Amino acid sequence: MAAKHILLVDGNSIAHANNNASRLTVGDFEVQAIFGFLKSMRHLLQKTPGEKELVVLWDGKAQWRIDLYPEYKGNRAPLDEEGEEKRRAFRRQTPFIEKALAMLGVKQVRSPLLEADDLAGFYARMFTQRGMQVTMVSGDRDWISLVDENVSWFDPIRDRWVTTENFLEFTGYFTADAFVQGKALQGDNSDNVDGIAGLGEKTAQLFLAQWKDVREFFRQVDEGTYTPKKRASKTATSLHPEQILASPEGRAIFERNVKLMDLRLSRTPAPGEVIVTPGCKNPDGFIRLCERLAFMSILRERHAFLREFGIEFTPEVA
């Protein structure tokens, strides 16, 4: 019998992506994030053959990353009034997404102390150790670091898949190790994580293609069998990226970034640290919610829609 397939969904990533789609309203209430999320989940289930289970992971605050690097995400500028209103409109929708998923029987997981990234690393490890196949469902490319022979990555918004077969073509790296190390070299501007000056996406890929592992570069530098390159120009005032990386400061930046970015290092949550909402199938409640939100396309296909979630719909008798 084929192994059960677990679909680990990055709740905030998928919700935000759908919120940025065409604006839908019921009265003055925006609903595009709710509608798009539900349609994405149905499409995901349709595309996944065999026995499967949806598990939606929601973000908390990864205090451990801030403790490791206080500047983490410290570049988030205050929003202007339009941005604040957009954020408020999104936040008004998220309880409805969670409520709809619960009534569809979908398990949801969150921790106030961990981001969805951390939960993804932990659950991917846990489920594959139990012999299951896992698909990471997210628009966040960081989750690609978890891809192996039992784990794939899928972006439902752009309809992109990454497996071990197309990993090099998609990422520019041969292995997940190299992918993580490449990110550690570059840093991450969106999270305010600095990298090695002069090592961008292409140069990091070329560096890892040559060395396979940054620590092999360190080893040869330390043994004296390799000398870091210098700037070709004699008038250059900055160090070559290899000189920066080989320095104690460069090594510290690299090692810190690996800890921040390698989701495979996600720790096992302590007892009570994770809140699991198992969901309880309530098709009548779900239909009433769709009526309230005027999701007419879902209502027209209510039987087929619910069937994708393992629900055979029989309306309540008044």
Side-chain angles (χ1 to χ4, degrees), residues 302-314:
R302 64 188 68 188
H303 294 279
F305 188 97
L306 290 169
R307 196 172 295 122
E308 294 295 342
F309 293 86
I311 300 172
E312 291 296 335
F313 178 55
T314 303

PDB file of all heavy atoms in Angstrom, residues 302-314:
ATOM      1  N   ARG A 302     -20.871  22.299  -4.002  1.00  0.00           N
ATOM      2  CA  ARG A 302     -20.676  21.950  -2.593  1.00  0.00           C
ATOM      3  C   ARG A 302     -20.386  20.467  -2.377  1.00  0.00           C
ATOM      4  O   ARG A 302     -19.523  20.112  -1.580  1.00  0.00           O
ATOM      5  CB  ARG A 302     -21.888  22.386  -1.767  1.00  0.00           C
ATOM      6  CG  ARG A 302     -23.205  21.685  -2.115  1.00  0.00           C
ATOM      7  CD  ARG A 302     -24.367  22.329  -1.387  1.00  0.00           C
ATOM      8  NE  ARG A 302     -24.609  23.677  -1.904  1.00  0.00           N
ATOM      9  CZ  ARG A 302     -25.456  24.533  -1.353  1.00  0.00           C
ATOM     10  NH1 ARG A 302     -26.143  24.193  -0.263  1.00  0.00           N
ATOM     11  NH2 ARG A 302     -25.635  25.729  -1.877  1.00  0.00           N
ATOM     12  N   HIS A 303     -21.080  19.595  -3.101  1.00  0.00           N
ATOM     13  CA  HIS A 303     -20.869  18.155  -2.902  1.00  0.00           C
ATOM     14  C   HIS A 303     -19.471  17.741  -3.344  1.00  0.00           C
ATOM     15  O   HIS A 303     -18.750  17.043  -2.611  1.00  0.00           O
ATOM     16  CB  HIS A 303     -21.937  17.352  -3.657  1.00  0.00           C
ATOM     17  CG  HIS A 303     -23.319  17.560  -3.120  1.00  0.00           C
ATOM     18  ND1 HIS A 303     -23.786  16.891  -1.999  1.00  0.00           N
ATOM     19  CD2 HIS A 303     -24.327  18.368  -3.545  1.00  0.00           C
ATOM     20  CE1 HIS A 303     -25.033  17.278  -1.754  1.00  0.00           C
ATOM     21  NE2 HIS A 303     -25.384  18.174  -2.674  1.00  0.00           N
ATOM     22  N   ALA A 304     -19.059  18.191  -4.528  1.00  0.00           N
ATOM     23  CA  ALA A 304     -17.725  17.851  -5.030  1.00  0.00           C
ATOM     24  C   ALA A 304     -16.644  18.510  -4.190  1.00  0.00           C
ATOM     25  O   ALA A 304     -15.594  17.905  -3.924  1.00  0.00           O
ATOM     26  CB  ALA A 304     -17.594  18.277  -6.494  1.00  0.00           C
ATOM     27  N   PHE A 305     -16.887  19.749  -3.756  1.00  0.00           N
ATOM     28  CA  PHE A 305     -15.897  20.464  -2.943  1.00  0.00           C
ATOM     29  C   PHE A 305     -15.671  19.729  -1.630  1.00  0.00           C
ATOM     30  O   PHE A 305     -14.523  19.442  -1.251  1.00  0.00           O
ATOM     31  CB  PHE A 305     -16.390  21.891  -2.668  1.00  0.00           C
ATOM     32  CG  PHE A 305     -15.367  22.773  -2.011  1.00  0.00           C
ATOM     33  CD1 PHE A 305     -14.588  23.632  -2.765  1.00  0.00           C
ATOM     34  CD2 PHE A 305     -15.176  22.748  -0.633  1.00  0.00           C
ATOM     35  CE1 PHE A 305     -13.636  24.451  -2.158  1.00  0.00           C
ATOM     36  CE2 PHE A 305     -14.228  23.544  -0.017  1.00  0.00           C
ATOM     37  CZ  PHE A 305     -13.459  24.405  -0.789  1.00  0.00           C
ATOM     38  N   LEU A 306     -16.733  19.401  -0.942  1.00  0.00           N
ATOM     39  CA  LEU A 306     -16.608  18.735   0.357  1.00  0.00           C
ATOM     40  C   LEU A 306     -16.027  17.338   0.218  1.00  0.00           C
ATOM     41  O   LEU A 306     -15.307  16.860   1.102  1.00  0.00           O
ATOM     42  CB  LEU A 306     -17.972  18.688   1.047  1.00  0.00           C
ATOM     43  CG  LEU A 306     -18.502  20.047   1.540  1.00  0.00           C
ATOM     44  CD1 LEU A 306     -19.957  19.932   1.949  1.00  0.00           C
ATOM     45  CD2 LEU A 306     -17.664  20.559   2.706  1.00  0.00           C
ATOM     46  N   ARG A 307     -16.328  16.679  -0.895  1.00  0.00           N
ATOM     47  CA  ARG A 307     -15.824  15.316  -1.099  1.00  0.00           C
ATOM     48  C   ARG A 307     -14.295  15.302  -1.124  1.00  0.00           C
ATOM     49  O   ARG A 307     -13.676  14.329  -0.693  1.00  0.00           O
ATOM     50  CB  ARG A 307     -16.407  14.737  -2.388  1.00  0.00           C
ATOM     51  CG  ARG A 307     -16.274  13.211  -2.499  1.00  0.00           C
ATOM     52  CD  ARG A 307     -17.052  12.686  -3.692  1.00  0.00           C
ATOM     53  NE  ARG A 307     -18.488  12.919  -3.513  1.00  0.00           N
ATOM     54  CZ  ARG A 307     -19.256  13.617  -4.342  1.00  0.00           C
ATOM     55  NH1 ARG A 307     -18.709  14.188  -5.423  1.00  0.00           N
ATOM     56  NH2 ARG A 307     -20.536  13.779  -4.116  1.00  0.00           N
ATOM     57  N   GLU A 308     -13.665  16.369  -1.629  1.00  0.00           N
ATOM     58  CA  GLU A 308     -12.202  16.429  -1.637  1.00  0.00           C
ATOM     59  C   GLU A 308     -11.632  16.410  -0.223  1.00  0.00           C
ATOM     60  O   GLU A 308     -10.490  15.998  -0.008  1.00  0.00           O
ATOM     61  CB  GLU A 308     -11.714  17.681  -2.373  1.00  0.00           C
ATOM     62  CG  GLU A 308     -12.023  17.708  -3.851  1.00  0.00           C
ATOM     63  CD  GLU A 308     -11.306  16.615  -4.631  1.00  0.00           C
ATOM     64  OE1 GLU A 308     -10.321  16.049  -4.118  1.00  0.00           O
ATOM     65  OE2 GLU A 308     -11.739  16.331  -5.762  1.00  0.00           O
ATOM     66  N   PHE A 309     -12.422  16.851   0.745  1.00  0.00           N
ATOM     67  CA  PHE A 309     -11.997  16.856   2.143  1.00  0.00           C
ATOM     68  C   PHE A 309     -12.520  15.628   2.896  1.00  0.00           C
ATOM     69  O   PHE A 309     -12.481  15.588   4.131  1.00  0.00           O
ATOM     70  CB  PHE A 309     -12.484  18.140   2.827  1.00  0.00           C
ATOM     71  CG  PHE A 309     -11.819  19.389   2.308  1.00  0.00           C
ATOM     72  CD1 PHE A 309     -12.310  20.041   1.182  1.00  0.00           C
ATOM     73  CD2 PHE A 309     -10.687  19.899   2.931  1.00  0.00           C
ATOM     74  CE1 PHE A 309     -11.694  21.183   0.692  1.00  0.00           C
ATOM     75  CE2 PHE A 309     -10.065  21.035   2.437  1.00  0.00           C
ATOM     76  CZ  PHE A 309     -10.567  21.679   1.316  1.00  0.00           C
ATOM     77  N   GLY A 310     -13.000  14.646   2.148  1.00  0.00           N
ATOM     78  CA  GLY A 310     -13.477  13.407   2.762  1.00  0.00           C
ATOM     79  C   GLY A 310     -14.819  13.534   3.424  1.00  0.00           C
ATOM     80  O   GLY A 310     -15.129  12.795   4.372  1.00  0.00           O
ATOM     81  N   ILE A 311     -15.652  14.473   2.932  1.00  0.00           N
ATOM     82  CA  ILE A 311     -16.958  14.716   3.547  1.00  0.00           C
ATOM     83  C   ILE A 311     -18.058  14.444   2.527  1.00  0.00           C
ATOM     84  O   ILE A 311     -18.060  15.023   1.438  1.00  0.00           O
ATOM     85  CB  ILE A 311     -17.084  16.169   4.041  1.00  0.00           C
ATOM     86  CG1 ILE A 311     -16.000  16.484   5.086  1.00  0.00           C
ATOM     87  CG2 ILE A 311     -18.476  16.429   4.612  1.00  0.00           C
ATOM     88  CD1 ILE A 311     -15.941  17.945   5.478  1.00  0.00           C
ATOM     89  N   GLU A 312     -18.953  13.562   2.867  1.00  0.00           N
ATOM     90  CA  GLU A 312     -20.158  13.359   2.066  1.00  0.00           C
ATOM     91  C   GLU A 312     -21.257  14.200   2.687  1.00  0.00           C
ATOM     92  O   GLU A 312     -21.623  14.026   3.854  1.00  0.00           O
ATOM     93  CB  GLU A 312     -20.563  11.883   2.042  1.00  0.00           C
ATOM     94  CG  GLU A 312     -19.601  10.998   1.267  1.00  0.00           C
ATOM     95  CD  GLU A 312     -19.536  11.340  -0.219  1.00  0.00           C
ATOM     96  OE1 GLU A 312     -20.522  11.890  -0.747  1.00  0.00           O
ATOM     97  OE2 GLU A 312     -18.483  11.064  -0.838  1.00  0.00           O
ATOM     98  N   PHE A 313     -21.778  15.148   1.912  1.00  0.00           N
ATOM     99  CA  PHE A 313     -22.668  16.153   2.447  1.00  0.00           C
ATOM    100  C   PHE A 313     -24.129  15.726   2.383  1.00  0.00           C
ATOM    101  O   PHE A 313     -24.672  15.432   1.314  1.00  0.00           O
ATOM    102  CB  PHE A 313     -22.481  17.467   1.683  1.00  0.00           C
ATOM    103  CG  PHE A 313     -23.402  18.565   2.134  1.00  0.00           C
ATOM    104  CD1 PHE A 313     -23.450  18.950   3.465  1.00  0.00           C
ATOM    105  CD2 PHE A 313     -24.225  19.217   1.219  1.00  0.00           C
ATOM    106  CE1 PHE A 313     -24.289  19.967   3.883  1.00  0.00           C
ATOM    107  CE2 PHE A 313     -25.069  20.245   1.625  1.00  0.00           C
ATOM    108  CZ  PHE A 313     -25.098  20.624   2.963  1.00  0.00           C
ATOM    109  N   THR A 314     -24.765  15.695   3.539  1.00  0.00           N
ATOM    110  CA  THR A 314     -26.214  15.498   3.645  1.00  0.00           C
ATOM    111  C   THR A 314     -26.769  16.666   4.423  1.00  0.00           C
ATOM    112  O   THR A 314     -26.457  16.815   5.619  1.00  0.00           O
ATOM    113  CB  THR A 314     -26.549  14.179   4.381  1.00  0.00           C
ATOM    114  OG1 THR A 314     -25.933  13.087   3.697  1.00  0.00           O
ATOM    115  CG2 THR A 314     -28.051  13.963   4.434  1.00  0.00           C
TER     116      THR A 314
END
